[in-house]
Amino acid sequence: MSTAPSIFGERFTHRLEAFSDLVFGFSLSLLATRLDIPTDAAQIFEPKRWGTFIITFAIICFLWLAHYKIFRHHFVPQIPDVMVNFIFLLGIAVAPYALQIYLRFPGNRASLTLYFGDFALFFGALATLRWRALLQRRGDPDKDLRLREWRATVRQYPIV
C-alpha cells in the first residue's frame, strides 16, 4: 500500500484554476486584438461585428464565472474532470478564431458550424463539470442550492 500523496489535491486544484484563468484571459484579449480594421470608415461601428463580438465576450465572461462557481465549492478534480476541463478550455481558446471565421464568412455553413459548435463544446463540457462537482457535494447542507444547480445542469444539456 502506497503512502504517497495523490497529485489531485488542493494545490493541483489551484494550479488548474490558475491555468484556466490564463486561458480565459488570453481568449478575451485575442477577441479584442483579432477585430479586423475595416477597409472603410463607415464600417467601424457595424452593428453585426460589434454585436457578435460583445455577445461572445459576455458569454466567455459568464463561462469564467460559472467555472469559478464550480471550483469554489471544494471541488477536487480527478482525471476525468481534468480531461473535461481541458476540453472546456479548448472551446474557450478556439472562440476568438471561431468568431473571426463567423464574421468573415457570415452566411457560410462551415463558419456557422464552427462558431455554434464551439458554443456547444464549451457549454457541454461546462455542464459535465457542474455535474461532476455536484456529485462531490452530495453531503452539502444547502440542499436548495444543490437542487437549483442540479436543475440548471440538467437544463443545460438539451440546450447544447
Side-chain angles (χ1 to χ4, degrees):
M1 186 174 346
S2 173
T3 59
S6 170
I7 68 162
F8 301 106
E10 189 175 335
R11 179 167 165 71
F12 177 79
T13 302
H14 290 305
R15 289 189 48 83
L16 185 60
E17 275 186 284
F19 178 76
S20 299
D21 287 347
L22 282 169
V23 174
F24 277 102
F26 279 122
S27 184
L28 289 173
S29 66
L30 280 174
L31 275 176
T33 60
R34 298 306 247 160
L35 281 174
D36 290 335
I37 296 174
T39 55
D40 182 11
Q43 298 172 333
I44 291 174
F45 294 110
E46 182 182 25
K48 181 178 180 178
R49 170 185 299 252
W50 282 102
T52 308
F53 169 79
I54 291 168
I55 288 168
T56 304
F57 190 92
I59 288 172
I60 291 175
C61 290
F62 164 79
L63 291 170
W64 176 87
L65 184 59
H67 189 264
Y68 165 75
K69 286 179 179 180
I70 290 169
F71 279 79
R72 78 169 183 209
H73 286 291
H74 307 293
F75 179 58
V76 180
Q78 300 300 312
I79 290 174
D81 308 316
V82 173
M83 292 175 11
V84 171
N85 192 68
F86 286 148
I87 291 167
F88 174 71
L89 294 176
L90 170 69
I92 298 300
V94 169
Y97 175 75
L99 176 63
Q100 285 299 306
I101 294 296
Y102 177 72
L103 288 174
R104 177 127 341 144
F105 307 106
N108 185 282
R109 186 177 188 165
S111 70
L112 287 169
T113 300
L114 175 64
Y115 185 69
F116 291 106
D118 191 41
F119 278 71
L121 176 71
F122 51 65
F123 278 117
L126 180 66
T128 302
L129 280 175
R130 289 172 74 181
W131 169 65
R132 300 274 302 167
L134 284 165
L135 288 176
Q136 285 187 18
R137 294 177 43 214
R138 286 187 183 138
D140 193 343
D142 191 349
K143 293 182 182 192
D144 290 334
L145 175 63
R146 278 195 0 252
L147 182 59
R148 281 194 313 271
E149 289 181 4
W150 272 111
R151 286 180 179 151
T153 301
V154 169
R155 278 192 310 265
Q156 196 168 335
Y157 280 112
I159 292 170
V160 169

